[in-house]
Amino acid sequence: MGYPHNHRPKNWVPAFAGMSGKIMSSGSLYERGVRAAHRGYKLTLSPVFGQSCRFLPTCSDYGRDALIQHGLRKGGWLTVRRLCRCHPFGGSGYDPVPPVETETP
């Protein structure tokens, strides 16, 4: 029969949110901000530049993952390094984000 207007399921997200409920409800505020900025880039600027990335994952996906996994400082540095390598005379191919280093006692 549906939900009354004052009772919604726990995972309900407004339709105008622009993302699936799973993405909107998981992760820290920082992670959601990075994902939202990445999605905004993909919808607005990426079509202007075209499919010109020589690497997999694409540079924008790499940047998103690096920022989420390594944080702003190291993830930002990894992203800048990757963008500097993405040019016609640079490399190409599969180049994943390096795993987070864990300290061993």
Side-chain angles (χ1 to χ4, degrees):
M1 220 193 223
Y3 292 99
H5 71 284
N6 60 353
H7 176 23
R8 295 185 176 111
K10 289 181 184 179
N11 61 352
W12 180 82
V13 175
F16 57 83
M19 297 181 167
S20 69
K22 184 176 180 183
I23 292 174
M24 286 296 289
S25 65
S26 65
S28 67
L29 181 61
Y30 170 75
E31 182 177 343
R32 290 187 309 212
V34 169
R35 289 185 186 280
H38 176 257
R39 184 73 177 142
Y41 168 79
K42 287 284 201 179
L43 292 173
T44 58
L45 295 176
S46 182
V48 174
F49 296 130
Q51 297 291 327
S52 59
C53 190
R54 303 169 54 85
F55 292 102
L56 282 174
T58 63
C59 291
S60 62
D61 292 341
Y62 182 96
R64 176 201 60 208
D65 295 342
L67 289 168
I68 290 171
Q69 291 175 22
H70 293 281
L72 187 58
R73 183 179 292 154
K74 185 170 182 184
W77 172 246
L78 290 170
T79 301
V80 168
R81 280 184 39 207
R82 169 67 175 272
L83 290 172
C84 289
R85 290 193 318 261
C86 192
H87 56 82
F89 305 109
S92 64
Y94 182 63
D95 181 29
V97 176
V100 177
E101 296 176 9
T102 57
E103 293 182 25
T104 54

